Amino acid sequence: MMLSPDQAADSDHPSSAHSDPESLGGADAKVLGNVSDLEPVEEAEGDGKGGGRAALYPHPQQLSREEKRRRRRATAKYRSAHATRERIRVEAFNLAFAELRKLLPTLPPDKKLSKIEILRLAICYISYLNHVLDV
């Protein structure tokens, strides 16, 4: 755990002496500075896509809305939640097709139909039922 020099002086934590800039090596300690002192560093190459970070430890107000969204979506928690939502959506979608399939007459009755075949057959069947009602 790294503490700023002000926090290290106030802390009773035994490792606080190691986080003091003077204990890091005198003049070299001033070069290191704090993480919060770092300025954004642009990528050397690339189009900004593909997993690279556009900034190293930037201040939250410096991030664009899109960069904040990209970072939030990169977390394991977000990916897991998204996968769960997608799985539930696909299951509901497949269940709806299964229910629709049960309502459609086919020969043989247990014939496996693709989703597009189910939709086309449903359209034809609805048209047929409308025609029967009109006659």
Side-chain angles (χ1 to χ4, degrees):
M1 177 171 90
M2 296 294 290
L3 299 174
S4 69
D6 298 330
Q7 292 172 328
D10 297 335
S11 176
D12 294 339
H13 195 274
S15 67
S16 64
H18 298 294
S19 62
D20 187 22
E22 276 57 312
S23 68
L24 292 175
D28 291 337
K30 293 183 183 183
V31 174
L32 292 175
N34 293 332
V35 172
S36 61
D37 295 338
L38 293 176
E39 293 296 322
V41 178
E42 295 298 320
E43 283 185 52
E45 62 187 52
D47 58 355
K49 297 179 183 175
R53 295 283 188 226
L56 179 65
Y57 301 117
H59 199 268
Q61 284 85 9
Q62 294 174 347
L63 294 176
S64 69
R65 179 182 294 163
E66 187 165 329
E67 181 63 22
K68 287 179 185 177
R69 183 181 302 133
R70 188 177 299 125
R71 287 185 178 197
R72 185 178 67 244
R73 289 179 178 176
T75 64
K77 182 179 176 182
Y78 182 90
R79 287 192 312 267
S80 175
H82 178 73
T84 301
R85 286 191 307 269
E86 180 66 10
R87 190 170 32 260
I88 290 169
R89 185 193 70 81
V90 168
E91 287 173 2
F93 185 76
N94 289 336
L95 181 63
F97 268 101
E99 292 295 317
L100 180 59
R101 171 64 188 89
K102 290 178 188 175
L103 301 173
L104 300 173
T106 57
L107 287 174
D110 59 343
K111 183 175 187 235
K112 177 76 171 140
L113 298 172
S114 68
K115 289 182 175 91
I116 190 69
E117 290 172 329
I118 292 171
L119 291 175
R120 288 179 178 154
L121 187 58
I123 290 168
C124 291
Y125 189 55
I126 291 169
S127 296
Y128 168 76
L129 292 176
N130 279 332
H131 176 72
V132 169
L133 289 174
D134 290 340
V135 173

